[in-house]
Structures are given as structure tokens and as C-alpha cells.
């Protein structure tokens, strides 16, 4: 054979990614784990252990139970027989979710805090679980023409993208692919289509599926596209929204499905609060305010949410922020008289404003309420001495 | 050949490949103009005095490092969007610097272990101890001192792996802090 023709055939075969075309979903009836898949799963377990050791998992049994219940509603019976899906919540304020091929799906508190209802959660989980059941990691890896280069680029992405926050230090090769790099356009579209059918078949309102992208896209723009893979890459957000609209049109009558906004908000309220707290740490004040206000709609009489809102104003300290901070702290103390940190923050504001009497009173309340080993105790004692 | 050599050296300078060298710590008091401080450094350590930070280590920066930095209130911090403001109390300054460290994506499990009032160079300051894990899961422990003078926040920080190194060089760090004074 002419060597040039030989080279051309090899190139065409590589470009076509022919190795992956025979990989069937786990529900195909002829599912058998390949040796490569077993190897991938071993890597998954190592990476997941590292994640567990990183102290970044969100320890809230009620919330974890809720997201797993929704996942089980969405996943078809045939898939349940083949894979043991588990949803795990990660304490991270960025909007992201990703699936490992060994059926562990990780969802950030950040995305739970931003979604509006259970139907949107069902869309998200459907998408991620479809990556598992349709063996996308395996297909993507078999399609990689140069594995070494591919792996190197994952690590490079890991090092340079702060999008997943603290998590980036704990993610390995597969986690980075799933959470930051994402899959090919074809595989993402397949996951969208399959996930959509599942959520709709489970009785959720299909019209909520594209909304998942709509309001998150608005947030991404406000944050100058800080969000990682799930909402930021292949295929582009607008294309994915359009794809969901096509799915809705193809399904015909889509009225009357479950949305469950109230139940969802109640279930994810702790994640909303936690995300607002982390946003405040990162100085993302507007996001923190949005989160707290949303939490206050669910629990309007929450003292600690009013305290957190006061903290946003105290720490931002622009214009009349300090006055607003005191207003929120006052409301917080009326709702929860025993929340020591509120008095500490009030004292700091009064001390900065040179209102020594009010500062001393607030600090004394803090000392009364705070535990004996409270970290700020020595500071506050010192400030009381200075105020005298 | 000479022209080629000069050309390569010029290119390296342009691309920033030639960095300021490390030098042994001086026996006399050291003046760091960029940080506006004078301080006594331990003998036998290495010093790298840069525009943004004064860096000192004995065995290499991964095994122990001391940094001294001066941050202007208009400067942006690396990991949090919060900023220092003139007149902030030390307890507030500690909050900003801790939140900056907590928002660093390359560190996991960041925790503040203690936070206390202190005095540095005649200024009211804070002293805190923190811990975190790096990319490889190695736990580091550190001590931070911070204070403000007008529009500048001064940070003196010691960081070392928790096991063995942290305790070994801690006293040397405390000596550095005690020796520190502002020039202006």
C-alpha cells in the first residue's frame, strides 16, 4: 500500500474516534465493564477518598437525603439495576456539579443555592447521571488521540482555574475532567437530551429545564463568566438552551408537571445560607445579599440571617453601610437574643463610630453569651479595657 | 558568538527569566525599603527581597518561610474582593486576611486556630494561628501578625509543615517580629 494512503487512513480513523462508537449505555442489555473502565473506577475511588479527606464535603444528612431522593425519582428503573448512583454535596459557593464514572455525582452548595425549584434540580441531576449511564468518561478517553497530552492539559487547567474554589486542590485527573474541562459537545448534548427525557418522564415540568440555564447565565454575566464547566462550556449556553427548547417542542404537551418550589427551597435552605456565608468571605457582597434575602424569604424570622446581612454591610462599609449594619444587628438581636456574634459585630461598629458606651454594652453582651473558649474573647476583653 | 550571548541574556531579562537572587541573611539589621521596615533576621537563613514581599527561609520555602508584606488600602487582594480600610480594628484586619487565605483555591481545609491582640512595632496588632492543606494533602501551620499604619496594612507571616518544621522554627519567627520596626 502506498504509505501516504496508509497514513491518511490512520488519521481518518483517529479523527473519527471510531474506538468509542461501540460503547453502549449501561441499560443496553449487553453491559459489561471493560478493563479500561475498571481501571478508571480505581482512579475514581482514590480521587473520591481525597475529596472526602479534604473536609470539603457538606455534612448535612437531611439535604443529602433530599437530593438523593430526587435523583432516584429521575433515574429510570433499568439504570438503577445497573448503577448505584450516589449524590454527594460539596461545600463550595461556585455553581457546579460533576459526575464520576463510578456513579458518584457531586453537587456544589453554590448551585443548589441558585436553582429555583425541584424540577431544575431534576434537570441537573438527570444530566449528570446520564454521563454515568452513557459511560461518557470511557468514551471520551477512548476518543482521546493523545492521552498523555490530554492528561497534562487537565492538570494545567486544574492549576490555572480558580473556578471551583478550594476544591481545585483536591480534584484529581478525572474530577478535573468532569468538573472543569467537561466532555465533548456531542456527549454534553447527549447528556442534556437523556437527562431531559428522564426528568420529564419522572413527572417534572419540562419547561423548567431551560430555565436552569437562563437565570444562571444572567448570574455568570454579572460575575464576568466566573462559573466553571457545567454552565460555561460545551456546547455554549445559548445552544444548550435552544436544545432544551427543541426537546420541549418534540415532547408535545408539556403542561402540568411538578415544579415544587416551596419544598425545594425548604430542603436547600441550609445550602443557601452557607453559600451566602462563603460569598461574604470571598467579598462577593452582591451575591451574598441575594442569598441571604432568599433565605429570609424562607425563614423571615431568622436572627442569624439578619446578622449575616448586617455583616455584609459592616464589612463592605461603603456610604451608609454602617448605619444599615446596626439596623440589621438590632433586628437580629430581637429575633435571637442569644446569638453572641451579633453583639460582637455591633460593638465593633460602635467602637469605630466612637460611641464608646454602646460599644462597651454590646461587647459585654458578647462576653456573657459567647462560650468560654470563644476565639474573639481576648480581643473583646482588650477592647472593653480600651473603652474604659 | 558574543552577540548571540548578549542577545540571549537580553531576551531572558525581557521575559523575566532572570530573577532576583537569594542571598544569605545579613548579620546586621536589615532594611527593606519596599516594606518600610527594619528587622533582624536569623543568621544562616536565605533572603529574597522583592518589590511586593520580603521572603526569608532556611531550608527552602516549602519547608518554612517568613514573609513581610505591606499592602496599601487601594491594593486588591489575591483571593477575596474585600479590602483593607483605614482605621480598621485589628480584629477586622484579621478577618480580611483570613478570608483571603480561606478563598485561595490551592488550599483546602483552611482553619483559624487562634486569634489574639498583640503589639508589633509599637502598633496595636493581631496574632493568629492558622492551618490548611496544600495540593498534596500536606498540612501546613502558620502564625500571622498584622497591623495598620494609616493607609498601609503590614503582614508578617510564618508558614511551615505542621509536622516537625512548624515547632522547630517558630521561635526564630517570633524573634523577627519582636525586632521589627517601621522606618516612616
Amino acid at each position: 500500500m502506498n504509505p501516504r494512503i496508509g497514513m491518511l487512513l490512520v488519521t481518518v480513523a483517529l479523527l473519527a474516534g471510531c474506538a468509542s462508537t461501540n460503547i453502549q449505555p449501561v441499560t443496553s442489555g449487553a453491559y459489561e465493564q471493560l478493563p479500561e473502565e475498571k481501571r478508571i473506577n480505581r482512579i475514581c475511588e482514590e480521587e473520591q477518598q481525597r475529596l472526602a479527606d479534604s473536609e470539603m464535603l457538606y455534612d448535612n444528612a437531611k439535604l443529602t437525603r433530599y437530593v438523593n431522593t430526587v435523583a432516584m425519582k429521575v433515574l429510570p428503573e433499568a439504570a438503577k439495576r445497573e448503577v448505584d448512583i450516589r449524590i454527594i454535596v460539596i461545600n463550595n459557593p461556585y455553581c457546579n456539579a460533576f459526575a464520576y464514572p463510578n456513579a458518584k455525582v457531586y453537587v456544589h452548595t453554590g448551585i443548589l443555592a441558585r436553582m429555583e425549584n425541584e424540577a431544575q434540580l431534576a434537570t441537573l441531576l438527570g444530566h449528570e447521571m446520564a454521563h454515568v449511564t452513557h459511560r461518557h468518561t470511557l468514551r471520551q478517553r477512548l476518543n482521546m488521540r493523545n492521552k498523555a497530552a490530554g492528561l497534562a492539559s487537565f492538570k494545567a487547567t486544574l492549576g490555572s482555574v480558580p473556578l471551583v474554589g478550594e476544591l481545585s486542590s483536591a480534584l484529581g485527573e478525572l474530577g478535573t475532567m468532569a468538573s472543569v474541562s467537561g466532555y465533548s459537545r456531542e456527549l454534553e448534548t447527549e447528556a442534556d437530551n437523556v437527562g431531559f427525557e428522564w426528568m420529564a418522564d419522572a413527572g417534572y415540568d419540562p419547561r423548567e429545564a431551560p430555565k436552569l440555564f437562563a437565570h444562571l447565565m444572567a448570574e455568570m454575566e454579572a460575575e464576568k463568566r466566573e462559573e466553571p464547566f457545567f454552565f460555561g462550556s460545551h456546547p455554549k449556553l445559548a445552544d444548550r438552551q435552544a436544545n432544551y427548547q427543541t426537546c420541549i417542542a418534540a415532547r408535545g404537551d408539556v403542561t402540568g408537571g411538578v415544579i415544587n418550589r416551596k419544598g425545594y427551597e425548604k430542603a436547600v435552605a441550609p445550602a443557601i445560607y452557607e453559600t451566602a456565608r462563603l460569598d461574604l468571605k470571598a467579598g462577593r457582597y452582591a451575591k451574598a445579599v441575594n442569598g441571604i434575602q432568599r433565605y429570609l424569604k424562607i425563614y423571615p424570622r431568622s436572627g442569624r440571617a439578619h446578622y449575616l446581612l448586617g455583616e455584609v454591610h459592616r464589612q463592605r462599609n461603603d456610604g451608609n453601610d454602617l448605619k444599615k449594619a446596626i439596623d440589621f444587628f438590632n433586628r437580629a438581636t430581637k429575633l435571637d437574643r442569644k446569638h453572641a456574634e451579633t453583639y460582637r459585630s455591633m460593638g465593633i461598629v460602635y467602637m469605630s463610630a466612637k460611641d464608646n458606651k454602646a460599644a462597651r454594652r454590646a461587647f459585654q453582651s458578647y462576653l456573657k453569651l459567647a462560650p468560654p473558649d470563644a476565639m474573639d474573647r481576648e480581643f473583646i476583653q482588650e477592647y472593653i479595657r480600651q473603652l474604659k | 558568538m558574543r552577540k548571540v550571548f548578549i542577545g540571549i541574556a537580553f531576551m531572558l531579562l525581557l521575559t523575566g527569566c532572570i530573577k532576583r537572587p537569594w542571598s544569605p541573611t545579613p548579620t546586621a539589621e536589615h532594611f527593606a525599603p519596599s516594606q518600610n521596615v527594619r528587622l533582624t533576621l536569623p543568621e544562616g537563613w536565605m533572603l529574597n527581597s522583592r518589590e511586593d514581599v520580603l521572603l526569608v527561609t532556611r531550608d527552602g520555602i516549602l519547608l518554612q518561610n517568613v514573609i513581610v508584606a505591606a499592602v496599601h488600602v487601594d491594593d486588591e487582594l489575591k483571593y477575596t474582593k474585600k479590602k483593607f480600610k483605614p482605621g480598621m480594628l485589628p480584629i477586622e484586619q484579621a478577618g480580611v486576611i483570613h478570608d483571603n487565605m480561606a478563598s485561595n483555591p490551592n488550599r483546602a481545609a483552611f482553619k483559624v486556630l487562634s486569634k489574639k491582640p498583640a503589639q508589633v512595632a509599637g502598633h496595636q496588632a493581631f496574632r493568629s494561628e492558622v492551618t490548611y492543606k496544600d495540593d498534596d494533602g500536606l498540612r501546613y501551620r502558620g502564625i500571622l501578625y498584622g497591623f495598620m499604619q494609616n493607609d498601609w496594612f503590614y503582614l508578617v507571616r510564618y508558614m511551615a509543615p505542621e509536622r516537625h518544621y512548624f515547632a522547630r522554627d517558630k521561635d526564630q519567627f517570633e524573634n523577627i517580629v519582636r525586632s521589627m520596626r517601621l522606618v516612616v
Side-chain angles (χ1 to χ4, degrees), chain A residues 312-360:
Chain A
V312 174
H313 291 288
R314 179 183 76 79
Q315 293 183 29
R316 185 170 57 192
N317 191 7
D318 278 340
N320 63 346
D321 264 338
L322 293 185
K323 192 186 165 301
K324 283 186 185 167
I326 288 293
D327 289 345
F328 283 116
F329 290 145
N330 276 326
R331 254 183 272 175
T333 56
K334 278 182 190 132
L335 294 163
D336 183 355
R337 288 179 176 279
K338 291 186 175 170
H339 191 249
E341 284 78 10
T342 307
Y343 295 98
R344 180 205 53 201
S345 295
M346 272 176 114
I348 290 170
V349 176
Y350 283 131
M351 192 169 170
S352 303
K354 312 266 186 253
D355 186 344
N356 292 2
K357 203 174 158 190
R360 208 162 50 231

Side-chain angles (χ1 to χ4, degrees), chain A residues 50 53-56 94 158-159 161-170 223 226 278 280-285 314-318 344 347-348 351-352 363 375-380 382-383 386, chain B residues 79-83 85-92 94 96 98-119 124-127 133-137 139:
Chain A
R50 203 163 135 175
D53 293 341
S54 72
E55 300 170 33
M56 280 183 280
Y94 293 92
L158 177 72
V161 182
L163 305 172
V164 284
E166 265 191 33
L167 183 61
S168 67
S169 64
E223 277 290 307
E226 263 194 16
L278 294 177
L280 174 59
K281 268 187 183 296
R284 306 197 294 182
Y285 297 117
R314 179 183 76 79
Q315 293 183 29
R316 185 170 57 192
N317 191 7
D318 278 340
R344 180 205 53 201
I348 290 170
M351 192 169 170
S352 303
F363 283 149
M375 207 177 281
D376 290 327
R377 185 169 279 278
E378 278 191 49
F379 257 119
I380 301 308
E382 170 64 23
Y383 289 152
Q386 287 176 22
Chain B
Y79 304 110
T80 182
K81 290 177 181 170
K82 289 182 182 180
K83 284 186 170 184
K85 301 214 172 193
M88 266 185 166
L89 297 169
I91 195 173
E92 296 176 283
V96 174
H98 291 154
D99 286 346
N100 188 52
M101 292 178 84
S103 304
N104 180 344
N106 299 314
R107 290 171 186 173
F110 176 83
K111 276 194 194 94
V112 179
L113 303 172
S114 69
K115 194 166 44 168
K116 288 178 172 133
Q119 286 275 326
Q124 281 193 29
F126 70 86
R127 181 194 187 278
K133 286 182 184 173
D134 74 356
D135 281 1
D136 298 316
R139 187 171 285 284

Side-chain angles (χ1 to χ4, degrees), chain A residues 177-282:
Chain A
M177 186 180 87
S179 73
V180 180
S181 321
Y183 297 93
S184 69
R185 187 188 185 92
E186 175 205 1
L187 296 180
E188 291 297 345
T189 304
E190 183 176 68
D192 280 345
N193 294 345
V194 171
F196 173 84
E197 287 303 323
W198 287 352
M199 68 84 82
D201 288 348
Y204 288 105
D205 189 333
R207 292 169 299 179
E208 288 300 314
K211 288 184 195 168
L212 175 63
F213 294 94
H215 69 89
L216 288 165
M217 196 153 66
E219 190 181 86
M220 260 178 65
E221 278 160 13
E223 277 290 307
K224 293 179 187 141
R225 300 186 69 83
E226 263 194 16
E227 306 298 347
F229 143 70
F230 185 84
F231 300 99
S233 65
H234 325 278
K236 284 190 173 129
L237 275 176
D239 294 349
R240 290 176 77 176
Q241 264 185 300
N243 184 43
Y244 274 112
Q245 295 295 356
T246 311
C247 291
I248 291 169
R251 206 169 164 93
D253 181 22
V254 290
T255 52
V258 172
I259 293 175
N260 192 15
R261 184 182 184 124
K262 263 198 161 165
Y264 176 80
E265 285 189 328
K266 203 128 203 178
V268 304
I272 295 174
Y273 184 87
E274 185 58 19
T275 300
R277 201 183 63 80
L278 294 177
D279 281 333
L280 174 59
K281 268 187 183 296

